[in-house]
Amino acid sequence: MNFLKSLYIHSQLYIYIAMASVCFLLSFWLPVLYAVAWIVTIIIAVLLLIDLFLLYQPKNAINARRILPDKFSNSDNNPVPITITNKYGFKTYIDVIDELPVQFQKRDFLYQTSLNPNQNYDFQYLVRPVDRGEYYFGHLNIFVSSVLKIIKRKYKFQNQQMVMVYPSIIQMQKYDFLAISNSLTEFGLKKIRRIGNTSEFEQIKDYIPGDDFRTVNWKATAKRGQLMVNQYQDEKSQPIYSIIDTGRIMKMPFNGLKLLDYAINSTLAFSNVALKKHDKVGMISFSKKIESFLPAIQKITYLNRILENLYNIDTQFNDSDFGLLYAQLKRKVTHRSLLLLYTNFEHISALKRQMPYLQAISKKHMLVVVLFENTELDTILNENAEDLQSIYHKTIAEKFAFEKRLMVKELQKHGIQSILTAPENLTINTINKYLEIKARGLL
C-alpha cells in the first residue's frame, strides 16, 4: 500500500505513450509502422521496470529536513532553509513541494533541482506572514525521478511543525543596532537641532572646534589654563507609554497588514530604542475596556514582557472608549509621561468627539496622536480624471486626504503633538518624533 502511495507517473511518460499511440494510428495507413509501434511499447515497458528498480531498490535513498526557527517575524520576509541528501548512486531530479501553513493561502509551491550521486544540497525560500499566531507546516514532500523520467518516487518528511509568529523582531533588531551605535540618523531618521538646555550634566572635557561657547566652564578653564566645556546628555529615566487603540478602525488593512499590526511592530521597535536611550517604557491597549497595562520600567529584559503582551493583542469590533483611557491614565500614570497614542480617525467629526478626552490627557502628559494616511487613495489622487465617474472618485479621495491634514491642524490648535504617516513609515516617523521631543526638552 505504501508502495502505491509513493508511486507517481512522470509527465515524460505521457510523451512516450503519445509517440507509441501515433505509431499505432499511422499504421492504419502504413502497416510497416505497426511493428515499430509494438517495439516502442515494449521499450517503454522495459524502461518502466528499470526505472522502478532504480528508484525503489534502495529503501531510504533521500533524506530531507526543513529547519524552522522558534519564531517568525510578522510582516517581514522570513527564510525557511531546507537541506536534501541524495544517497542514490546516480543523478536524480528532484521536485520539492512544501505544505505551507493555511494562513499563506499558497498551494502552488514547487522547487526543482537535480542532485549528483551522494550530494548534499541546501536552499531556502522566504515567507511573509501578515498575522500573529501559530503557523503549522504540513509534510515536506520530495519527488525523485531518474534520468529515464518514467516514474517518480515520493518521500515525505516532517509533518505538523509549528512556528509562532511574533511582532516584527527583525524590524526591532534593525533599529536596535542603530540605537546602540548612535547611528539612528543614518537610517532615514532626521537629526534634530537641540533647542535650549534641558539635558543632564555628564562631564567636563577639553574644548574642540564646534563646541558651543555657552557651555564653557570658566572655573575649570582657569585651573587648567585651557578651554574646558561642560558636556551634557539627554535626560534619562523618563516614562514613555505606547498606547494602542484596538477598536474596529484599527482593523483596516494596508498591504495585507492591519493597522493594528503596524502599530504593534512600531511599539516593539520604538520601546527597544527608548530602553537603549535609558528611558522607562510601558504600554497600554484599550477599546471598550483596558485590555492590558504595563507600567513604565527601565529594564532591558522588560522588552520580553512587552513582546509577549503584544503577541496576544487583537482588534475588536467596538468603538474605543477614550473616556476610559483618560480615567486609567489619571489613576495609574501619576508622573508626566510621553504618550504615543496609535489610533486613527477617518472623519474630522470622529476626532472632535474624542477631543475633550485628548485635551484632558495632554494637560498632564506629553501626548502624541499617531494618525495613518490612507495610501490606497494615492492611485486615485495621482491619476487624471477623464470621465464623470473618475471625477467623483478623485473629488472624494481629495476630501478624505484633506480631512487628514485638517485633523493635524485641529490637534495642533489644542496643543497636541501629532504624526500623520503612511503605515509602512510608521516606525521611522515615530522614532523621529521621540528624538525630536527629547532634543527639544518638551517632556
Side-chain angles (χ1 to χ4, degrees), residues 85-315:
T85 303
N86 176 29
K87 296 181 181 178
Y88 283 107
F90 52 88
K91 185 176 182 178
T92 58
Y93 296 87
I94 304 291
D95 293 341
V96 181
I97 298 179
D98 201 358
E99 297 176 2
L100 298 178
V102 65
Q103 290 94 329
F104 293 119
Q105 290 296 297
K106 185 176 177 61
R107 293 294 177 267
D108 58 351
F109 181 94
L110 176 63
Y111 183 88
Q112 296 178 313
T113 188
S114 59
L115 300 181
N116 293 320
N118 301 310
Q119 179 187 355
N120 292 327
Y121 182 76
D122 299 315
F123 73 95
Q124 68 178 23
Y125 63 90
L126 300 175
V127 292
R128 181 180 179 265
V130 293
D131 285 303
R132 286 160 291 118
E134 298 178 350
Y135 283 55
Y136 287 91
F137 285 76
H139 285 107
L140 175 61
N141 302 290
I142 309 293
F143 293 85
V144 187
S145 56
S146 69
V147 70
L148 299 175
K149 296 184 178 180
I150 304 292
I151 62 168
K152 293 181 181 181
R153 181 178 177 182
K154 179 182 178 182
Y155 290 86
K156 292 198 301 184
F157 304 93
Q158 292 179 298
N159 188 28
Q160 290 295 299
Q161 279 187 290
M162 191 268 285
V163 179
M164 309 282 282
V165 175
Y166 273 76
S168 183
I169 301 169
I170 292 176
Q171 190 179 109
M172 180 197 73
Q173 291 171 340
K174 177 171 63 178
Y175 292 107
D176 178 42
F177 173 77
L178 294 170
I180 292 174
S181 61
N182 290 318
S183 304
L184 283 167
T185 54
E186 296 175 9
F187 207 85
L189 300 175
K190 62 185 179 183
K191 197 169 185 179
I192 309 297
R193 184 172 66 88
R194 297 181 180 276
I195 298 175
N197 185 14
T198 61
S199 302
E200 294 178 343
F201 173 78
E202 184 179 16
Q203 64 176 352
I204 300 173
K205 69 180 188 72
D206 293 336
Y207 170 83
I208 58 175
D211 283 340
D212 191 346
F213 279 108
R214 290 175 296 180
T215 63
V216 172
N217 188 316
W218 295 108
K219 288 185 178 180
T221 298
K223 288 181 179 178
R224 292 285 301 274
Q226 62 184 51
L227 278 176
M228 305 293 292
V229 293
N230 294 331
Q231 185 174 352
Y232 297 91
Q233 62 182 0
D234 289 334
E235 290 185 24
K236 299 179 180 179
S237 300
Q238 295 177 304
I240 298 170
Y241 284 86
S242 296
I243 304 174
I244 302 176
D245 180 355
T246 62
R248 60 184 176 85
I249 195 67
M250 296 294 282
K251 204 171 181 67
M252 187 181 295
F254 288 93
N255 295 327
L257 205 65
K258 297 191 291 287
L259 289 182
L260 177 69
D261 286 301
Y262 283 109
I264 286 172
N265 291 342
S266 174
T267 296
L268 182 62
F270 166 73
S271 298
N272 185 52
V273 169
L275 283 171
K276 292 295 190 297
K277 295 290 185 180
H278 307 288
D279 281 325
K280 300 177 182 178
V281 297
M283 66 155 291
I284 302 170
S285 62
F286 78 104
S287 59
K288 291 295 286 185
K289 62 178 182 179
I290 302 298
E291 294 165 0
S292 63
F293 175 81
L294 296 180
I297 294 177
Q298 184 190 341
K299 195 175 182 181
I300 199 65
T301 55
Y302 196 53
L303 197 64
N304 292 327
R305 188 174 172 188
I306 292 175
L307 177 62
E308 293 297 332
N309 201 279
L310 291 171
Y311 172 79
N312 294 308
I313 293 177
D314 198 6
T315 48

Side-chain angles (χ1 to χ4, degrees), residues 296-359:
I297 294 177
Q298 184 190 341
K299 195 175 182 181
I300 199 65
T301 55
Y302 196 53
L303 197 64
N304 292 327
R305 188 174 172 188
I306 292 175
L307 177 62
E308 293 297 332
N309 201 279
L310 291 171
Y311 172 79
N312 294 308
I313 293 177
D314 198 6
T315 48
Q316 307 299 321
F317 292 93
N318 303 312
D319 287 325
S320 298
D321 188 344
F322 282 78
L324 182 64
L325 173 64
Y326 166 68
Q328 177 77 1
L329 291 171
K330 187 176 181 180
R331 186 170 60 252
K332 293 291 186 70
V333 184
T334 55
H335 295 89
R336 179 174 171 80
S337 308
L338 171 60
L339 308 179
L340 285 166
L341 174 58
Y342 296 92
T343 186
N344 201 36
F345 301 105
E346 285 302 314
H347 302 282
I348 189 69
S349 58
L351 173 63
K352 287 183 176 179
R353 282 198 302 271
Q354 310 300 343
M355 187 58 75
Y357 301 114
L358 298 179
Q359 283 182 269

